[in-house]
Amino acid sequence: MKNLTTSKFMKLAQFCLCVFFLINFNSCTEEDDITPLGSEETLNVETEALVPNSITLTSGCEYRIVPEFNNVIFPAKNYTWTAQPAELVDFTVEPLTFAVTVQTIAEGNVTLTLASDDGEVSASVQVIIDDESDGILKILAIGNSFSEDALEAYFWGLANAEGKQVVVGNMYIGGANLDTHLSSASSDSNNYSYRKIDLDGTRTVTSNFSISEAVADENWDYISFQQASYESGLFDTFINPLPSLYNIVRGHNPNPCTKYILHKTWAYAQNSTHSGFANYNNDQMTMFNGIIDAYTLAENLIPTTMVIPAATAIQNGRTSFLGDGFTRDGYHLNDLGKYTASCTWYEMLFGESVIGNSYEPDGISDYYQGLAQQAAHEAALNPNEITILVDYENPGGNGIISEPVFINFSSSDNPDGWNAYTSHLDGGGIPNILYSNGDFTGVTATTTARFRGINNTSGAGSSTTDFNMDDSVSRSNFYSHALAWGSNPPLEESVIEFTGFESNDTYEFCFFGSRNGVSDNRDTKYTVIGATEQSANLDAANNATNTVCISNVQPDANGKITLRVSAGDANTNGNQFYYINAMKIAPQ
């Protein structure tokens, strides 16, 4: 608001009052006895401005100072900010409130002075600029399993490979939405699991932690918020809790230079069975578009420095030949999905392309790393638009398996040389089976009748077989049950189809199944159907040494071989659980 003299203000007020009388009483002249609205002595004009005496900031920090003026809501006078010495800061001024946003440049002390143009009102603040110079990026996420997926598995490795030092904190409550976080923050409840990755990559988990403890634990550069996945595309669910949560967290935070960001989480796979998918008519694109719209609006609810477009990175990846092959259960990410999300965080926080990053995560081939990096990079460039990954639409393969391939039925910790079969749901699978060297076979595996679930820890802790399995492979399994199990209806068989074979060559299919810590028989039947039908049985109970094989398996006329997994006749379990942990396909 520009300066308005008292005499002009009085004439304007008298004119307005005259108009009022003309409308209501049809009379108003200069001679009428009108009581003045005020005099120069009583008019509401500020006589004092208040700012902090001093603040301490780090170099490269952005900080907003809002002056307070007595007697008025908005200042009546015009003001100018100056800095001495000027070269240590940049600043911008808001014309109505004269709030100043300071960008610190270099270490030193600066006096910022606010002065009215008439010289009658002034105030100063000492800005002490420390060069923190520890070179460590510190990020605290307030989230749930989706922040776990995005930050805990691969982000540290991506940063470390490029010589960057990071500390990662994740305040975890499973399935927590913003309302849950607000409730916990309001009472400062110690109901969080605090997961922390230190400078050396060591991950620790501390139970019974509170928001105030986590915020005070480090001098955080970034603190992120996110909505729970099932409400991530519903903007109304952000409106009340997000600003309140931000205010509480900021009130606990001793670091005035912390930047606050939002983590834009991903849409569910189209085959997801999550109950929250109904919020989007069980449609992936409806959910994705809702997420884009909701976070675009939500970033204006708090002072948001950036939005991490993990949703867009995953959706970009889905334009490749992998399709929905980024989740392990239709909504949580598998290893490749986690790596893709971490690449997105890396590019956004460090402001540099992740393409070509030298980190080599176990179990993710170079080709898949490149795909994930490209998906993340395009998301950083176009955070609200899907980019088709044209270079990854068809990876190749001739449809003839010329050397053994190995499949690991697990949602995580896939070792090098193995194909990760990460989703147990209908439509899950492996879009193009890999050889151990990372080349593609051109053969696809797809689940056409689901398994009940995945158990990553119930199999043999170690094994001695001709598969030469890593312990992570023997421990994990897909399982189902031929009889009802609690409220779960029976699954008499679970089915995988292998398609894309381009010759009449014959193959050997071998299987390993294991369930530790049981005393009954868990006989599992593996039936392979191609040009002919053959079966083999294996008792999975406490198995660490045995595999079974079916030889002379030939594709049918359509290039397809079907695997049916079911309970065997010798199975004595009350629910007739059956298992598959690993398999091998080898040419004969």
Side-chain angles (χ1 to χ4, degrees), residues 28 172 197 333 378 429 522 548 555 566 587:
C28 183
Y172 172 95
I197 302 173
L333 298 178
E378 296 298 338
R522 302 290 175 102
V548 292
S566 60

Side-chain angles (χ1 to χ4, degrees), residues 515-542:
R515 174 61 164 95
N516 260 11
V518 296
S519 59
D520 50 13
N521 186 298
R522 302 290 175 102
D523 185 32
T524 300
K525 182 179 181 180
Y526 306 97
T527 301
V528 178
I529 306 169
T532 61
E533 179 175 329
Q534 303 178 69
S535 297
N537 287 60
L538 176 69
D539 182 7
N542 305 305

Side-chain angles (χ1 to χ4, degrees), residues 127-405:
V127 181
I128 303 165
I129 307 172
D130 288 336
D131 187 1
E132 187 180 29
S133 70
D134 62 6
I136 303 170
L137 186 146
K138 305 180 186 74
I139 167 72
L140 174 67
I142 298 174
N144 50 36
S145 57
F146 276 47
S147 52
E148 175 187 28
D149 281 358
L151 280 171
E152 291 190 33
Y154 297 113
F155 178 75
W156 185 92
L158 286 163
N160 183 66
E162 299 301 314
K164 303 180 189 301
Q165 293 184 301
V166 295
V167 172
V168 179
N170 183 28
M171 286 292 277
Y172 172 95
I173 297 177
N177 61 7
L178 288 171
D179 286 318
T180 298
H181 289 303
L182 175 59
S183 175
S184 297
S186 298
S187 60
D188 204 26
S189 300
N190 62 344
N191 55 349
Y192 284 89
S193 170
Y194 179 43
R195 288 95 176 280
K196 186 176 182 182
I197 302 173
D198 288 320
L199 280 175
D200 63 358
T202 301
R203 179 179 179 270
T204 58
V205 178
T206 306
S207 301
N208 303 319
F209 225 71
S210 68
I211 288 281
S212 63
E213 290 175 309
V215 171
D217 187 49
E218 292 282 355
N219 192 29
W220 301 108
D221 296 294
Y222 295 95
I223 295 178
S224 78
F225 305 104
Q226 67 185 53
Q227 182 55 286
S229 61
Y230 49 89
E231 294 179 341
S232 57
L234 308 175
F235 173 64
D236 287 351
T237 67
F238 291 77
I239 294 173
N240 292 324
L242 181 58
S244 298
L245 177 61
Y246 161 78
N247 287 329
I248 293 172
V249 171
R250 185 172 178 270
H252 287 308
N253 190 3
N255 180 9
C257 295
T258 297
K259 298 178 177 66
Y260 295 89
I261 62 180
L262 297 179
H263 177 205
K264 182 161 56 180
T265 59
W266 48 92
Y268 296 165
Q270 193 56 49
N271 66 349
S272 177
T273 58
H274 194 295
S275 60
F277 206 15
N279 290 334
Y280 313 97
N281 299 317
N282 294 303
D283 182 76
Q284 185 181 98
M285 288 308 302
T286 299
M287 185 174 187
F288 174 77
N289 290 328
I291 291 168
I292 296 298
D293 293 342
Y295 277 84
T296 298
L297 296 171
E299 65 179 304
N300 297 310
L301 295 175
I302 64 173
T304 305
T305 300
M306 71 175 73
V307 178
I308 308 296
T312 310
I314 297 300
Q315 209 63 38
N316 289 346
R318 286 168 170 159
T319 69
S320 74
F321 78 100
L322 287 172
D324 264 348
F326 290 83
T327 63
R328 61 188 187 267
D329 55 8
Y331 51 102
H332 289 117
L333 298 178
N334 59 23
D335 286 348
L336 181 62
K338 293 176 184 179
Y339 178 75
T340 303
S342 291
C343 285
T344 312
W345 277 84
Y346 176 93
E347 182 145 338
M348 294 299 295
L349 292 185
F350 290 110
E352 65 183 42
S353 176
V354 73
I355 294 176
N357 186 283
S358 60
Y359 176 47
E360 295 284 346
D362 291 340
I364 302 178
S365 71
D366 291 345
Y367 184 89
Y368 284 146
Q369 289 174 44
L371 188 160
Q373 291 172 5
Q374 189 69 43
H377 178 66
E378 296 298 338
L381 295 177
N382 301 290
N384 294 327
E385 299 177 10
I386 300 170
T387 302
I388 297 174
L389 304 186
V390 293
D391 292 339
Y392 294 94
E393 290 182 297
N394 184 9
N398 61 7
I400 301 172
I401 295 179
S402 58
E403 59 186 80
V405 295

